[in-house]
Amino acid sequence: MAELKVDAEPEEVGFDAQRLQRVVSHFRRYVDEGKLAGWTVAVARRGRVALHAHHGLADVEAERPVADDTIWRIYSMSKPITSVAVLMLYERGLIELTDPVARYLPAFADMRVYRSGSAANPGTAPAAEPIRVWHLLTHTAGLTYGWHHAHAVDEIYRAKGFEFGAPRGMDLAAACDAWASLPLLFEPGSEWNYSVATDVLGRIVEVVSGQRLDRFFAEEIFVPLGMDDTAFSVGPDELDRLAGLYMRNPEGGLLRNTVMGDAATREPTFLSGGGGLVSTAADYHRFAQMLARGGELDGARLLSPHTVAYMTRNHLPGGADLKEFGRPLFAESADRGIGFGLGVSVVVDAAAGKALTHEGEFAWGGLASTAFYVDPAAEVTAMFFTQLLPSSTYPIRPQLRTLVNQALVD
């Protein structure tokens, strides 16, 4: 089991210790006021952990406190892992970023684009441009999520059983075939829309590698990095480590969501590279450190530093940010001053985004209010784990950045 231990006094790595404690005192109030059940936070600089703290309960009903080994549903924090898997295959010459997706998944050969009409009777036209691998990595493919509730195509996804995840019993291959039969929201490459694109990437990993996605992740990423507790489900003997999943109760306090929460206790048929993983703070810290160190950790190199630098630059056409290029809907990121790389958001203008951070910071988060970021300019990584749906409930992510960065004094 990976361990996450404080191995540096804050002053040793350029933090003011009292200021860094503001991270803890601020988020303690979330628990004390009944907004969150419990949380874990970890902050490292130059590869050394200066803060690792817990507060509150992992499981309210069982009165079980958050612990070092608590297992969290990371939802869309699965996406950077899947994107790294694709880039590993890219480095081996097995995939080109410009390849049409149909080269690997033939169902995507003749896509049609929504033009007008209702979900029940949409008007469509043939796509002028094929979906390419880089479109999937950047969420510019024209795919969507059923839970957006913003467009007729979203409604079409929901009608087919794709709101959160896939219909019961459907595997990843069948889900991709189903998505390929639905209209695109827009011409590939012309806009940004948060979507099932990363799940499609997971299927490409399976086709190219000849392995199921869980097997590829385990052999190529989790075992080399020592991420022993990261998987698509929690085994029966580890259920007492799994955090409860909660939602805000309009009448005050929290409501447990067992329908979505219990999904992590069963081996899934649908291996979602876009949102299916569970992990621990210690495990995800190792993944974040691998990226912060340019693709290598403790002798295990997953990517070249040149590939990591390429992954974490803005790939939106014309250097646009998500405000300019994206649909006005929720994603796991702010939009103004934020671009998008190959699987992660990228800060392109911190002043425009009114966020206390640095250009080049890359990040992503998950549906249950988890988050991580890597700030190469400040040499900082930070992570926050809790289990509250949805992640738009409270401004945890910008507050985490502000509280960490205000504590930097060199």
Side-chain angles (χ1 to χ4, degrees):
M1 182 191 305
E3 289 187 287
L4 180 54
K5 293 183 177 179
V6 172
D7 59 3
E9 293 297 324
E11 291 84 356
E12 291 181 76
V13 289
F15 285 110
D16 179 295
Q18 282 188 307
R19 283 176 164 266
L20 193 59
Q21 279 301 308
R22 291 176 180 174
V23 177
V24 177
S25 58
H26 177 80
F27 288 116
R28 281 180 73 95
R29 288 196 293 272
Y30 273 85
V31 174
D32 298 344
E33 294 170 6
K35 295 177 178 178
L36 296 177
W39 50 258
T40 288
V41 67
V43 180
R45 194 173 195 209
R46 301 174 188 135
R48 301 179 68 191
V49 179
L51 175 67
H52 179 215
H54 319 300
H55 186 57
L57 300 175
D59 190 307
V60 173
E61 291 75 16
E63 298 183 341
R64 175 163 47 87
V66 175
D68 287 354
D69 67 348
T70 295
I71 297 173
W72 311 92
R73 299 162 193 79
I74 63 170
Y75 288 113
S76 285
M77 279 168 63
S78 307
K79 287 180 168 72
I81 294 173
T82 304
S83 300
V84 163
V86 170
L87 292 172
M88 291 170 73
L89 296 173
Y90 169 60
E91 284 192 332
R92 297 171 193 177
L94 300 175
I95 294 175
E96 293 295 332
L97 299 183
T98 53
D99 281 346
V101 172
R103 178 169 298 177
Y104 310 104
L105 308 178
F108 285 90
D110 297 303
M111 299 302 296
R112 299 186 68 84
V113 180
Y114 172 89
R115 290 286 185 254
S116 63
S118 67
N121 189 27
T124 65
E129 167 77 6
I131 301 176
R132 301 183 187 277
V133 173
W134 77 265
H135 293 141
L136 297 176
L137 284 161
T138 57
H139 290 288
T140 60
L143 300 168
T144 192
Y145 271 125
W147 54 262
H148 283 324
H149 292 263
H151 192 276
V153 176
D154 307 339
E155 188 179 340
I156 294 170
Y157 273 58
R158 292 195 299 275
K160 296 292 185 181
F162 299 105
E163 185 164 13
F164 294 98
R168 184 177 291 274
M170 181 178 285
D171 66 11
L172 180 56
C176 287
D177 286 346
W179 294 326
S181 73
L182 306 180
L184 296 176
L185 202 59
F186 47 75
E187 290 285 352
S190 66
E191 296 184 53
W192 190 94
N193 189 69
Y194 197 38
S195 72
V196 299
T198 315
D199 289 303
V200 180
L201 287 172
R203 178 58 184 155
I204 291 176
V205 170
E206 291 189 329
V207 170
V208 173
S209 70
Q211 293 179 295
R212 273 176 39 130
L213 191 59
D214 53 355
R215 186 76 179 270
F216 185 92
F217 279 175
E219 293 184 6
E220 300 280 356
I221 299 176
F222 301 154
V223 169
L225 292 182
M227 296 171 64
D228 301 332
D229 289 316
T230 306
F232 282 103
S233 62
V234 179
D237 55 340
E238 304 289 354
L239 290 178
D240 61 345
R241 296 171 53 198
L242 179 65
L245 184 65
Y246 298 95
M247 302 174 68
R248 184 180 182 180
N249 186 341
E251 298 176 7
L254 301 170
L255 292 172
R256 189 170 185 130
N257 187 322
T258 55
V259 174
M260 288 182 66
D262 288 354
T265 67
R266 302 183 295 269
E267 259 193 65
T269 305
F270 173 66
L271 297 176
S272 172
L277 292 173
V278 298
S279 190
T280 61
D283 274 16
Y284 212 90
H285 171 73
R286 293 188 65 78
F287 179 74
Q289 289 304 308
M290 178 275 295
L291 291 174
R293 289 169 53 106
E296 178 273 339
L297 184 66
D298 295 341
R301 178 165 293 286
L302 270 60
L303 295 171
S304 157
H306 299 280
T307 305
V308 174
Y310 188 68
M311 171 190 183
T312 58
R313 62 176 293 179
N314 186 19
H315 283 257
L316 297 183
D321 67 6
L322 294 176
K323 182 69 174 178
E324 297 172 89
F325 204 72
R327 294 265 165 148
L329 48 79
F330 178 75
E332 302 294 341
S333 169
D335 52 11
R336 197 180 299 276
I338 308 295
F340 204 81
L342 302 178
V344 287
S345 62
V346 184
V347 175
V348 293
D349 188 339
K354 298 297 177 280
L356 182 59
T357 187
H358 306 93
E359 281 78 17
E361 177 229 277
F362 58 93
W364 207 240
L367 180 68
S369 303
T370 60
F372 92 105
Y373 73 83
V374 178
D375 186 339
E379 301 177 276
V380 166
T381 64
M383 306 181 303
F384 188 89
F385 293 89
T386 189
Q387 299 282 258
L388 183 77
L389 297 171
S391 56
S392 56
T393 308
Y394 301 114
I396 289 169
R397 293 164 189 172
Q399 290 174 355
L400 177 66
R401 286 171 170 81
T402 299
L403 290 160
V404 170
N405 283 318
Q406 62 82 35
L408 284 169
V409 290
D410 80 356

